[in-house]
């Protein structure tokens, strides 16, 4: 019935005005109701049209539609006012909570206040123990995807938990300049907008373009991190190309060179013919081919053939015949300088030291015996050697002093070394022409399918060429790798999960020297200057490898040159190459704390506490940070490495901008269709929606509490558990157990276990049981409930306040909002924000294992009765009975009978469905009319089968050889109790079956 407006006094004018307002309100309400009904009808029509769709997705769509449709009407009651808060000030909360949780309303204003209040900042002078995380710096090339959001969520949970636990918590933000990735993006922009290449505008102007782009788009990541609630210390934000980090890169290069760990040499590198630079291993994707496969390659009009083993012959000198070799990359034969045969191969061993003749350029190919490279199962007994184009051949070439002949230009065309008839041809065009030329000379011997691994650049999709370029700068990794190996073996660094330790050992034990030269323009210039003397005949940059001077600046290099070449005139030219992006990234834990300077941050926060990242960069980044940190910083850069799972798309692929399969986390935050999310991500969307609904459960729990606590309620400083009703004692004991499980799980980096413990307590114990159990205390006014009402009110407040603090690291926004709504204790000093409040810890006097065990029985009993009710066609209340077989169980059931709602009866009547709770307890539900005896027997049979399997497993374990000698006595006693209990349950089931048979016989 609608409430009538109140009338104060005899005045009539206000009454008329009030009637007009009431009428207007009614009209608006009717209009809303009409719109709501139209929406409902449309929803029903759409629902009918979608019946053939995937059932799970249908459910999600309904949920999404429900929330979207009710957002305007239901979330904000008429007396709810969403107040505007000045930026940086504490959020102004409406006195009346909204009817439903609305993320956009809840999340606004809190972050700016947290940041302006200094809650994110760590103090290098603090006496608190430090806890430090350096955020893996995302590339400045654009936006974070949902995989980055996982990283942020895990790291934010860790840092908030430690901050609340009394640590001087520091989470350092940063962004990586991402040399190649950023250059590619800006080059595409130049071509798209101005039809220019980087070569058209020159290096200096191009770097200016990149800096402009960074300033314009770099704020995207910053905004995403703010929206995700990341509690980063922004006062320490770092960019790998800023002045401090650039100084660190220069210092590191100079020191490592002085220590003999950086050198310049001719070695194989991964070369990208599209980017025109060497690239790192992380930028190479390896695909395994099983047979002939045609692939689309950039720059080629038609697909190119791979996965084929081609055999051809080399003529032997002096007309001695020919020798057959095989290869999957026929174009590299233009760079062959030798042929290897197995020393025990009788067909060819006599040819050792003799020569074959190259059919296209006349080059003599030395025949050598090398058992390490020749695999007889490869297809022939001889192997061609192209040292400048194959990693294995490179080592063979060094062992045998062979020529290294590069036959490719930077952009992947055959150069003059490859032979006049093929010069200038693109490498895969030359492949076809070489085969035809071999056929014309009668040297082609056929082709067959073969398995092979192909390296493809993740940024360009071009085939990566192993190639010897002009001399490059390399880092000698041998000694540093041994230190990194020992750091994990000695547990100075702990890898979590531990199974990845073997990957760590395998990679570092087989490490190669690291090429740090890159032939692009965006990055840290190599701090090396080439000295050209005035009287030099050869003035080509880098022609004399001994003329390089590594120094911190050009002026320092000039001083060194004067010392080395006294009295001579010279010109200094800096190496045009830049350093691999991973070189600066490897210094990140040191550089963000001020290294190489002796800063307060470096002294207080290095080594950091934990590195959290993905397995995919364990080697290219994590291992290199350990090597650099120990070599330059004198200690490991972090004490633990936590490797999180990789978020994949629906095809199981890692999210990558080049694949176009990324999801912006803001799309999920702001709103994205469930179809789109389901199509693009390999994730159980039902769980995501379920947790969104669970947020509303939290919201409603607080709304219920605010209504029952009352506006004048003042929480007590402490609660006396001893005088509380059993239900209050139980929920506090359960909260204690959830707290202990959460903390131990967080300490063990088992975040799923931590969130499950919190979720289970909130959902299944607080909301489903405790709140429902105490409602009668508030709905009944008699004085006899007053003490229980007071205890329930205090316990409810303690549970909600503690539970929100327990949950805060994982759900910072909603917990802050709800915590601020809770009444504050009058005589205790509460922190201004939940994020700087103390994290819950165990309260010894709350622990009550006996009561928890009793409640487990009670709740199991309730669930069994509910399961029996589901088998009845009509939903009215029916009498339920319990058959107890021990005094303890009888006492438990009697104590908590109000929760179970059992009917007292010494004898169980006929026509009851039966459920076995445990060996000492069975429950019965009175059914309407005769029971379905066959269905009851089937249920009991399934129960018996399950118990028998468990009994068999326990018996098998106890009868195992060595059990009685090796198993501890406590374990054996526990197994015996379990064995006895299972036997008793089987007896109870047999008893129930006999009663059922007796009843059906009497019908």
């Amino acid at each position: 019935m609608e409430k009538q407006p109140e009338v104060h006094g005899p005045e009539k004018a206000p009454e008329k005005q009030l009637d007009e307002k009431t009428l207007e309100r009614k009209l608006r309400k009717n209009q809303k109701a009409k719109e709501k009904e139209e929406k409902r009808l449309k929803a029903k029509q759409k629902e009918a049209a979608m019946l053939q769709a995937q059932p799970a997705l249908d459910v999600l769509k309904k949920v999404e539609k429900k929330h979207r449709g009710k957002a305007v009407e239901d979330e904000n009651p008429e007396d709810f006012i969403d107040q505007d808060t000045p930026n940086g000030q504490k959020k102004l909360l409406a006195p009346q909570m909204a009817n439903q949780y609305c993320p956009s309303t809840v999340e606004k204003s809190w972050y700016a206040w947290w940041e302006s209040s200094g809650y994110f900042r760590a103090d290098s002078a603090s006496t608190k123990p430090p806890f430090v995380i350096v955020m893996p710096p995302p590339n400045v090339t654009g936006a974070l995807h949902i995989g980055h959001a996982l990283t942020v969520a895990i790291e934010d949970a860790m840092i908030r938990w430690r901050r609340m636990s009394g640590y001087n918590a520091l989470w350092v933000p940063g962004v990586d300049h991402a040399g190649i990735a950023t250059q590619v993006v800006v080059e595409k922009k130049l071509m798209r907008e101005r039809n220019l290449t980087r070569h058209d505008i020159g290096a200096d102007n191009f770097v200016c373009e990149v800096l402009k782009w960074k300033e314009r788009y770099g704020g995207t990541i910053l905004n995403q991190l703010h929206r995700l609630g990341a509690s980063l210390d922004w006062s320490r934000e770092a960019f790998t190309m800023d002045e401090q980090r650039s100084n660190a890169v220069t210092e590191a290069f100079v020191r490592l060179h002085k220590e003999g760990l950086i050198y310049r040499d001719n070695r194989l590198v991964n070369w990208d013919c599209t980017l025109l630079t060497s690239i790192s291993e992380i930028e190479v994707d390896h695909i395994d081919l099983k047979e002939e496969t045609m692939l689309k390659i950039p720059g080629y009009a038609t697909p190119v053939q791979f996965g084929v083993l081609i055999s051809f012959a080399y003529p032997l000198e002096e007309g001695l015949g020919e020798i057959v070799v095989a290869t999957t990359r026929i174009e590299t034969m233009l760079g062959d300088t030798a042929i290897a045969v197995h020393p025990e191969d009788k067909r060819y061993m006599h040819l050792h030291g003799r020569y074959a003749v190259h059919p296209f350029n006349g080059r003599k190919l030395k025949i050598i015996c090398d058992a390490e490279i020749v695999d007889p199962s490869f297809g022939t007994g001889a192997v061609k050697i192209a040292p400048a184009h194959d990693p294995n051949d490179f080592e063979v070439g060094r062992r045998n002093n062979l020529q290294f002949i590069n036959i490719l230009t930077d952009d992947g065309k055959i150069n003059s070394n490859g032979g006049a008839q093929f010069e200038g041809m693109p490498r895969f065009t030359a492949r076809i022409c070489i085969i035809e030329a071999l056929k014309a000379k009668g040297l082609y011997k056929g082709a067959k399918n073969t398995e092979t691994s192909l390296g493809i650049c993740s940024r360009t999709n071009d085939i990566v060429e192993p190639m010897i370029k002009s001399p490059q700068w390399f880092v000698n990794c041998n000694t540093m790798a041994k230190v990194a190996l020992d750091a994990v073996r000695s547990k100075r660094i702990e890898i979590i999960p531990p199974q990845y330790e073997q990957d760590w050992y395998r990679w570092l034990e087989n490490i190669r020297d690291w090429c740090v030269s890159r032939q692009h323009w965006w990055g840290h210039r190599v701090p090396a200057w080439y000295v050209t003397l005035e009287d030099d005949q050869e003035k080509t940059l880098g022609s004399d490898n001994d003329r390089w001077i590594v120094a911190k600046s050009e002026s320092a290099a000039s001083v060194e040159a004067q010392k080395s070449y006294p009295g001579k005139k010279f010109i200094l030219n800096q190496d045009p190459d830049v350093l691999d992006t991973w070189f600066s990234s490897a210094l990140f834990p040191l550089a963000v704390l001020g290294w190489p300077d002796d800063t307060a941050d470096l002294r207080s926060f290095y080594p950091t506490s934990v590195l959290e990242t993905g397995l995919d960069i364990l080697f290219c980044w994590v291992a290199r940070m350990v090597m650099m940190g120990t070599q330059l910083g004198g200690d490991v850069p972090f004490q633990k490495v936590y490797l999180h799972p990789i978020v994949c798309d629906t095809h199981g692929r890692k999210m990558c901008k080049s694949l176009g399969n990324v999801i912006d986390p803001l799309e999920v935050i702001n709103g994205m269709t469930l179809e789109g999310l389901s199509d693009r991500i390999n994730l159980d969307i039902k769980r995501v929606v379920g947790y969104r609904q669970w947020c509303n459960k939290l919201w409603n729990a607080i709304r219920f509490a605010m209504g029952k606590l009352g506006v004048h309620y003042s929480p007590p400083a402490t609660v006396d558990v001893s005088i509380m009703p059993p239900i209050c004692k139980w929920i506090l004991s359960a909260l204690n157990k959830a707290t202990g499980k959460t903390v131990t799980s967080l300490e063990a980096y088992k975040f799923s276990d931590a969130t499950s413990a919190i979720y289970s307590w909130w959902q299944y114990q607080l909301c489903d049981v405790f709140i429902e159990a105490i409602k009668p205390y508030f709905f009944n006014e008699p004085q006899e409930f007053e003490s229980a009402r007071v205890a329930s009110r205090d316990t409810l407040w303690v549970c909600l306040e503690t539970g929100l603090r327990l949950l805060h690291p994982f759900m910072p926004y909603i917990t802050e909002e709800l915590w601020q709504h809770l009444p504050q204790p009058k005589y205790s000093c509460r922190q201004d924000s939940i994020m700087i409040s103390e994290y819950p810890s165990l309260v010894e006097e709350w622990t009550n294992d006996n009561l928890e065990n009793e409640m487990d029985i009670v709740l199991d009993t309730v669930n069994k009765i509910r399961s029996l009710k589901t088998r009845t066609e009509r939903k009215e209340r029916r009498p339920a009975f319990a058959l107890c077989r021990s005094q303890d169980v009888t006492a438990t059931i009697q104590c908590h009978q109000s929760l179970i709602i059992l009917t007292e009866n010494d004898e169980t009547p006929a026509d009851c469905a039966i459920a076995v709770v445990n060996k000492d307890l069975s429950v019965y539900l009175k059914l309407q009319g005769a029971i379905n005896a066959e269905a009851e027997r089937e249920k009991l049979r399934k129960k018996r089968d399950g118990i028998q399997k468990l009994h068999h497993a326990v018996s098998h374990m106890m009868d195992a050889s060595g059990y009685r000698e090796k198993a501890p006595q406590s374990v054996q006693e526990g197994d015996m109790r379990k064995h006895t209990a299972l036997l008793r349950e089987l007896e109870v089931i047999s008893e129930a079956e006999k009663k059922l048979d007796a009843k059906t016989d009497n019908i």
Side-chain angles (χ1 to χ4, degrees), residues 679-824:
D679 289 345
R680 293 170 66 184
I681 191 171
N682 186 15
L683 187 67
D684 186 353
I685 305 301
K686 287 190 291 184
R687 292 188 67 182
V688 176
V689 175
Y691 288 132
R692 164 62 177 82
Q693 293 171 324
W694 187 65
C695 290
N696 209 56
K697 191 96 170 180
L698 295 178
W699 191 264
N700 288 334
I702 302 299
R703 287 184 68 239
F704 169 83
M706 297 301 291
K708 301 312 171 191
L709 295 177
V711 293
H712 302 297
Y713 174 74
S714 179
T718 59
V719 291
D720 186 355
V721 181
S722 63
I723 61 174
M724 288 183 168
I727 192 67
C728 296
K729 294 179 181 179
W730 167 75
I731 193 62
L732 290 177
S733 183
L735 173 57
N736 223 27
K737 183 170 288 184
T739 299
K741 176 66 173 176
T742 301
V743 172
T744 55
S745 298
L746 285 170
E747 289 172 342
Y749 295 85
K750 295 181 178 179
F751 301 104
S752 177
D753 290 352
T755 54
S756 294
I758 300 171
Y759 176 84
S760 295
W761 178 82
W762 270 97
Q763 178 73 30
Y764 304 122
Q765 295 175 311
L766 182 73
C767 293
D768 287 358
V769 178
F770 178 73
I771 288 179
E772 295 300 319
I774 65 172
K775 281 181 179 178
Y777 297 145
F778 297 100
F779 296 150
N780 293 279
E781 294 296 333
Q783 190 64 29
E784 62 181 289
F785 290 112
E786 183 58 27
S787 62
R789 200 161 27 243
V790 170
S792 298
R793 189 180 288 119
D794 291 345
T795 304
L796 178 60
W797 182 88
V798 169
C799 284
L800 294 175
E801 198 276 340
T802 307
L804 288 173
R805 284 188 285 123
L806 196 65
L807 182 59
H808 175 74
F810 301 99
M811 303 176 73
Y813 285 118
I814 190 174
T815 51
E816 181 74 88
E817 178 103 357
L818 295 177
W819 189 80
Q820 296 287 353
H821 272 291
L822 288 177
Q824 181 175 339

Side-chain angles (χ1 to χ4, degrees), residues 199-212:
H199 300 283
D200 293 332
I201 64 174
D204 292 340
N205 288 332
F206 181 77
V207 170
C208 289
E209 289 293 322
V210 177
L211 289 171
K212 287 180 191 174

Side-chain angles (χ1 to χ4, degrees), residues 255-274:
R255 283 196 197 182
L256 293 172
H257 182 266
K258 187 177 293 185
E259 293 165 5
L261 295 175
I262 285 185
Y263 63 93
R264 188 172 171 85
D265 194 11
N266 274 310
R267 284 176 169 265
L268 277 182
V269 296
N270 292 317
W271 187 263
D272 187 293
C273 298
T274 300

Side-chain angles (χ1 to χ4, degrees), residues 978-996:
K978 188 184 297 183
H979 185 270
T980 303
L982 290 170
L983 281 176
R984 179 61 182 142
E985 284 199 53
L986 288 172
E987 292 173 4
V988 170
I989 292 172
S990 296
E991 182 182 335
E993 288 173 332
K994 289 177 182 177
K995 286 188 177 184
L996 182 62

